[in-house]
Amino acid sequence: TGPVIIVGAGHGGYQVAASLRQAGFSEPISLINDEAHLPYQRPPLSKGYIKGSAGPESLMFRPEKFYQDQKIELIAGRAVSIDRAAHKVLLASGATLPYGHLVLATGARNRLLDLPNANLPDVRYLRILDDSEALRQIMPSKTRAVIIGAGFIGLEFAATARIKGLEVDVLELAPRVMARAVTAEVSEYFQDRHREAGIRIHLGVQATSIEAENGKVTGVSLSDGRHLPADLVVVGVGVLPNIELADEAGLPVAAGIIVDEYLSTADPDISAIGDCALFTSPRFGGSLRLESVQNATDHARCLAARLTGDKKPYDSHPWFWSDQGDDKLQIAGLTTGYDRVVLRGDPARKAFSAFCYHGDRLLGIESINRAGDHMFGRRLQSMDRSITPEHAADESFDLKSALA
Ligand code: FAD
């Protein structure tokens, strides 16, 4: 293969390097890292990390010694272009690195709010460790946060800000929270829970302007004419995949870097994984781009296997989680496209699962504080089995018998 260069040292990039070494790959590996930290876990940035007081080292996958011992060269900097003919990557520093195989694990970046005053220091985003660190530091001096976007990150942050004693308003354009990702039943549960915690959720509205005085945010105006006072705005309106490196190198891109079921781009010596990759999925019949730790790390493992001689199409089962206040949401499978939802357990008891079906086919399970159902769902899917809606809804039916 020759040297492997990995662009991006997030979940996917780190995992390819680690899995290659685990599989006995002995050629040079370089991990190009444009963040000023050792590779770290992103999910706690909007959860435990921002709530607590642990230092950045608590997030690191591995200490520095691991990279030395494993001969994984961490290169600080940013890749700016790819010379495919010469098999070289150019860094912003001017250095060029030859590759045998190039892995694009560039992730995604925040979609920015296109409003005046959106670049003031009181308007924040949450993607990288420095964002989380900055929010943790400024939160104690703030009293009223407006969160724009009720996706996973916006709601996780909202719950934390409320626990920290801030007044919190959440704005969402859709008629329900997390609308693109979960069933209406689960959206409603979380809306109720966040409201019980004292968070005001405004649905079907958008921010039309951010007001400020002397460079400090004073409030947000809404499309329905209302005005909310605020001294902190946190924006979580989705991400854009980092496809530019691939695009400028002439590789096909669309809503992601286009790769086949082996995660290879149109150039056999360049692969793309994780949040930036739009991959062909025989299982789901079409192209998918997912934003999850599971997807990035399983992509990485699949690619590392291919580069060490075990070529198989990517076929892992998606799963995901989100912690919001005291509630843990876990999703097994991909629930989009369902036409029937069956509940097991009771939202009023704060523990239930939504089994999502298309016809008789189980697409996935959204579990709230029901880790057992989630693990059941993952095992069931790994065995390519299903369970009838009647059994799913019947709490006296022992789920384990569906696995036997
Ligand atoms: P990333 O981890 O984003 O890594 C990409 C890296 O590439 C970044 O460091 C980026 O700076 C770098 N990079 C980009 N371009 C270049 C370049 N040209 N040169 C060098 N480096 C470059 N997922 C879950 O499953 N569960 C959760 O609870 C969850 N919570 C999350 C909370 C937050 C706050 C965020 C931001 C994400 C969360 N996610 C969660 C999503 C998950 O973190 C991502 O899906 C995952 O990190 C994707 O991994 P990746 O390697 O594709 O990209």
Side-chain angles (χ1 to χ4, degrees), residues 8 10-12 34-35 42 47 79 106 127 275 292-293 320-321:
H11 280 268
D34 72 345
E35 296 192 53
R42 235 171 262 294
K47 306 179 180 70
T106 49
R127 177 81 202 172
D275 282 13
S292 73
V293 166
F320 184 80
W321 80 98

Side-chain angles (χ1 to χ4, degrees), residues 122-265:
D122 294 332
V123 180
R124 295 278 167 177
Y125 294 81
L126 246 177
R127 177 81 202 172
I128 61 171
L129 176 49
D130 300 359
D131 296 335
S132 184
E133 194 74 53
L135 269 169
R136 193 158 90 168
Q137 271 167 29
I138 64 172
M139 262 207 293
S141 67
K142 302 295 182 188
T143 56
R144 291 198 66 135
V146 168
I147 289 138
I148 302 181
F152 295 115
I153 293 173
L155 290 177
E156 288 177 0
F157 177 75
T160 299
R162 187 69 196 130
I163 289 165
K164 293 274 180 196
L166 277 75
E167 293 287 319
V168 179
D169 289 274
V170 177
L171 311 184
E172 171 56 53
L173 187 55
R176 59 185 178 89
V177 302
M178 302 179 282
R180 277 177 307 147
V182 300
T183 54
E185 287 79 355
V186 170
S187 292
E188 265 159 41
Y189 175 81
F190 276 99
Q191 281 159 204
D192 290 348
R193 293 285 286 155
H194 289 303
R195 283 173 173 148
E196 277 165 28
I199 295 170
R200 289 174 291 267
I201 298 180
H202 311 273
L203 301 169
V205 290
Q206 58 181 321
T208 50
S209 70
I210 295 172
E211 285 80 44
E213 268 168 39
N214 305 320
K216 288 197 162 294
V217 166
T218 56
V220 176
S221 294
L222 313 191
S223 48
D224 61 6
R226 280 182 298 160
H227 175 84
L228 302 172
D231 53 10
L232 174 65
V233 173
V234 174
V235 185
V237 293
V239 297
L240 300 169
N242 292 320
I243 60 175
E244 291 74 12
L245 259 188
D247 190 17
E248 285 158 20
L251 295 169
V253 298
I257 302 170
I258 295 177
V259 293
D260 62 15
E261 65 268 44
Y262 300 100
L263 311 171
S264 177
T265 67

Side-chain angles (χ1 to χ4, degrees), residues 85-397:
H87 277 69
K88 281 182 179 155
V89 178
L90 175 68
L91 303 192
S93 64
T96 53
L97 302 172
Y99 64 82
H101 197 90
L102 178 65
V103 182
L104 301 176
T106 49
R109 60 180 180 276
N110 290 309
R111 190 186 284 277
L112 302 180
L113 198 63
D114 184 20
L115 286 179
N117 291 328
N119 55 358
L120 289 176
D122 294 332
V123 180
R124 295 278 167 177
Y125 294 81
L126 246 177
R127 177 81 202 172
I128 61 171
L129 176 49
D130 300 359
D131 296 335
S132 184
E133 194 74 53
L135 269 169
R136 193 158 90 168
Q137 271 167 29
I138 64 172
M139 262 207 293
S141 67
K142 302 295 182 188
T143 56
R144 291 198 66 135
V146 168
I147 289 138
I148 302 181
F152 295 115
I153 293 173
L155 290 177
E156 288 177 0
F157 177 75
T160 299
R162 187 69 196 130
I163 289 165
K164 293 274 180 196
L166 277 75
E167 293 287 319
V168 179
D169 289 274
V170 177
L171 311 184
E172 171 56 53
L173 187 55
R176 59 185 178 89
V177 302
M178 302 179 282
R180 277 177 307 147
V182 300
T183 54
E185 287 79 355
V186 170
S187 292
E188 265 159 41
Y189 175 81
F190 276 99
Q191 281 159 204
D192 290 348
R193 293 285 286 155
H194 289 303
R195 283 173 173 148
E196 277 165 28
I199 295 170
R200 289 174 291 267
I201 298 180
H202 311 273
L203 301 169
V205 290
Q206 58 181 321
T208 50
S209 70
I210 295 172
E211 285 80 44
E213 268 168 39
N214 305 320
K216 288 197 162 294
V217 166
T218 56
V220 176
S221 294
L222 313 191
S223 48
D224 61 6
R226 280 182 298 160
H227 175 84
L228 302 172
D231 53 10
L232 174 65
V233 173
V234 174
V235 185
V237 293
V239 297
L240 300 169
N242 292 320
I243 60 175
E244 291 74 12
L245 259 188
D247 190 17
E248 285 158 20
L251 295 169
V253 298
I257 302 170
I258 295 177
V259 293
D260 62 15
E261 65 268 44
Y262 300 100
L263 311 171
S264 177
T265 67
D267 180 333
D269 295 328
I270 306 181
S271 301
I273 59 168
D275 282 13
C276 69
L278 181 67
F279 62 100
T280 303
S281 171
R283 174 174 296 281
F284 293 104
S287 295
L288 284 182
R289 193 181 69 76
L290 298 175
E291 294 160 11
S292 73
V293 166
Q294 173 280 321
N295 181 66
T297 48
D298 284 346
H299 271 180
R301 292 186 183 110
C302 175
L303 174 59
R306 166 156 63 87
L307 296 178
T308 50
D310 183 14
K311 181 177 177 179
K312 286 197 194 97
Y314 177 75
D315 193 32
S316 298
H317 294 272
W319 56 269
F320 184 80
W321 80 98
S322 172
D323 300 333
Q324 300 179 23
D326 293 333
D327 293 303
K328 187 170 195 75
L329 166 67
Q330 292 169 295
I331 306 176
L334 280 188
T335 55
T336 37
Y338 64 89
D339 55 18
R340 179 171 181 195
V341 177
V342 173
L343 294 191
R344 184 177 180 89
D346 184 1
R349 296 208 323 260
K350 303 187 176 66
F352 70 102
S353 292
F355 285 64
C356 305
Y357 290 86
H358 181 79
D360 287 338
R361 197 159 53 90
L362 179 66
L363 302 177
I365 306 175
E366 299 168 354
S367 300
I368 286 142
N369 306 322
R370 296 261 298 200
D373 290 358
H374 175 69
M375 290 317 295
F376 163 78
R378 283 170 56 182
R379 286 199 53 204
L380 192 74
Q381 290 181 328
S382 72
M383 298 165 85
D384 278 321
R385 289 205 193 154
S386 192
I387 172 179
T388 65
E390 293 68 33
H391 281 156
D394 177 4
E395 285 231 64
S396 69
F397 175 79

